[in-house]
Structures are given as structure tokens and as C-alpha cells.
Amino acid sequence: MIIKGVALLAACFLSGLYIGDILGPLLGVKANVGGVGFAMLFLILLTNHGTKYGWLDSKSASGIDFWAAMYIPIVVAMTASQDVVAAVTSGPLAIIGGVLGVLAGFALIPILAKL
């Protein structure tokens, strides 16, 4: 049943947003922190668990695959724009952390290319 896969996707999305909304204020940020990431992690874990133990059939898994392919680029793009606005308005620490993360990524490119 494809609808079961879509329901699982929606449940993961809502639970991820809920956890992100709780985690934000605990970390002192006025935004959802990691909600989409938690949602995708839940979706991956529950899909693997459901397929392994047989309560999620192949049609449901194909429904999840379809909507996950649609969900990831759209929601990540929306979340990224919200995170940038929240980071810029929250203070310099978020901006410094983002810039340092990008610089570390650029510095690791030659090292990873040799591997």
C-alpha cells in the first residue's frame, strides 16, 4: 500500500520538526534545529526496520522512495533559507561557525582527493 509509505513519511516529518522545535530553544537558537535531518533519519531507520521485519511491503517502500525523492530537495531548500535568516539574526557565532565549516571543507578537499 503506497499510502502507508506516505503516512510514514508524514509521521517522520512531523516528529522531526517537533524534535527540532524542542532542540532549538534548548541550544539557545530561535529556530528549528535539525528537524529535517531528524525526519530523514527516522525515515531511513523506520524504512529499513519495516522492510527487515516485514511490516512494510515493497509497494509502501516505493511510495516512500518516490516522496523522499520529492521531499528532500524541496524541504532542504526551504529549511536552508530559514536557517540562513535565523543565523544572520541570531548573532555572529552562527555566521562564524558557518564560515569556519566552509573553510574547513575547502581545506579538506586536497586531502580527500589524495585518498
Side-chain angles (χ1 to χ4, degrees):
M1 238 201 238
I2 294 175
I3 194 77
K4 188 191 293 185
V6 176
L8 183 63
L9 176 70
C12 290
F13 174 71
L14 292 174
S15 61
L17 286 183
Y18 181 72
I19 290 174
D21 285 339
I22 291 173
L23 192 58
L26 289 176
L27 296 173
V29 178
K30 298 176 186 174
N32 183 309
V33 177
V36 174
F38 283 118
M40 291 310 298
L41 180 64
F42 294 154
L43 183 63
I44 291 167
L45 292 175
L46 287 173
T47 303
N48 289 340
H49 184 74
T51 305
K52 182 178 178 181
Y53 291 106
W55 55 266
L56 191 66
D57 60 353
S58 62
K59 281 193 173 189
S60 298
S62 69
I64 291 171
D65 290 341
F66 171 75
W67 283 109
M70 298 295 287
Y71 167 81
I72 293 171
I74 294 169
V75 175
V76 168
M78 289 171 30
T79 304
S81 65
Q82 291 174 352
D83 288 344
V84 169
V85 171
V88 170
T89 59
S90 292
L93 185 61
I95 296 170
I96 292 169
V99 170
L100 289 177
V102 170
L103 291 176
F106 284 148
L108 289 174
I109 289 173
I111 296 169
L112 294 174
K114 290 180 183 178
L115 295 176

